[in-house]
């Protein structure tokens, strides 16, 4: 009897605390890593991206985000991007959909290209503790400058922090 009461109490606490994770008024910060041959585009052979993302939950389950990212390629252009977007948490267990738009500046051997790149992604916020998450996500970037060379899909992983 005591065990079943304890299990019911823990289940209630977990369900209540999971609702509070994506509520209005929370701040979000994240460090991102992508690439290492996990993404594919026509122009990239080996690359990785490092990024920082910040956000604010303006409504329950809705977050406005901003992102800055640096991309390195061994034999291709280096990129710097600045973007903004929105994220929606589908369920309180951490599954989310997102849309972003970024301005990317690519430079290689003195030549530079500026590009506008919208992106969609789906991911999961896995809570390690009450505020820290590991967030794997799948994404697709669509380049307006050159679809065959700079558009592509990939995997990104981040570590996020949710603060009140």
């Amino acid at each position: 009897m005591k065990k079943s009461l304890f299990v019911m109490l823990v289940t209630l606490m977990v369900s209540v605390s999971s609702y509070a994770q994506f509520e209005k008024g929370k701040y979000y910060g994240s460090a991102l890593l992508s690439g290492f041959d996990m993404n594919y585009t026509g122009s990239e052979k080996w690359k990785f991206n490092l990024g920082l993302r910040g956000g604010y939950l303006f409504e329950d389950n809705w977050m406005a985000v901003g992102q800055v990212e640096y991309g390195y390629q061994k034999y291709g252009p280096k990129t710097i991007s600045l973007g903004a977007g929105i994220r929606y948490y589908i369920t309180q267990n951490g599954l989310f959909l997102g849309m972003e738009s970024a301005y990317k500046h690519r430079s290689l051997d003195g030549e530079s290209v500026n590009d506008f790149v919208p992106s969609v992604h789906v991911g999961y916020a896995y809570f390690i503790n009450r505020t820290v998450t590991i967030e794997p996500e799948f994404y697709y970037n669509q380049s307006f400058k050159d679809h065959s060379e700079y558009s592509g899909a990939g995997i990104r992983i981040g570590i996020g922090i949710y603060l009140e």
Side-chain angles (χ1 to χ4, degrees):
M1 178 68 179
K2 288 182 183 181
K3 283 185 181 180
S4 60
L5 182 61
F6 177 73
V7 169
M8 288 188 332
L9 182 62
V10 168
T11 304
L12 178 63
M13 288 174 54
V14 168
S15 65
V16 169
S17 67
S18 69
Y19 178 77
Q21 291 167 346
F22 308 117
E23 67 185 3
K24 180 179 177 177
K26 286 199 172 190
Y27 294 93
Y28 167 78
S30 176
L32 306 165
L33 178 65
S34 67
F36 294 112
D37 293 326
M38 290 187 291
N39 98 349
Y40 172 80
T41 66
S43 70
E44 299 164 352
K45 304 300 179 219
W46 184 86
K47 69 171 259 172
F48 73 92
N49 291 344
L50 295 172
L52 296 173
R53 186 181 284 164
Y56 179 73
L57 282 142
F58 60 91
E59 282 293 325
D60 287 353
N61 301 326
W62 288 94
M63 181 190 301
V65 294
Q67 177 175 323
V68 63
E69 191 172 276
Y70 172 76
Y72 172 82
Q73 294 182 41
K74 189 172 184 179
Y75 301 110
K78 311 321 180 247
T79 62
I80 295 175
S81 68
L82 182 62
I86 193 162
R87 183 186 280 188
Y88 175 70
Y89 292 90
I90 298 171
T91 61
Q92 285 299 319
N93 67 1
L95 187 63
F96 61 85
L97 295 173
M99 293 177 17
E100 293 180 358
S101 294
Y103 168 79
K104 285 195 176 192
H105 176 79
R106 295 180 180 89
S107 62
L108 177 66
D109 300 330
E111 288 186 36
S112 63
V113 174
N114 297 319
D115 197 359
F116 175 71
V117 181
S119 173
V120 293
H121 56 268
V122 61
Y124 183 75
Y126 176 76
F127 279 84
I128 297 172
N129 63 24
R130 225 173 142 228
T131 58
V132 178
T133 59
I134 295 176
E135 299 180 347
E137 52 182 71
F138 297 98
Y139 65 90
Y140 178 76
N141 294 335
Q142 174 63 51
S143 171
F144 279 125
K145 194 64 141 179
D146 188 346
H147 171 74
S148 63
E149 293 294 315
Y150 298 117
S151 296
I155 299 171
R156 181 169 35 221
I157 187 142
I159 295 179
I161 299 174
Y162 292 79
L163 301 171
E164 294 192 35

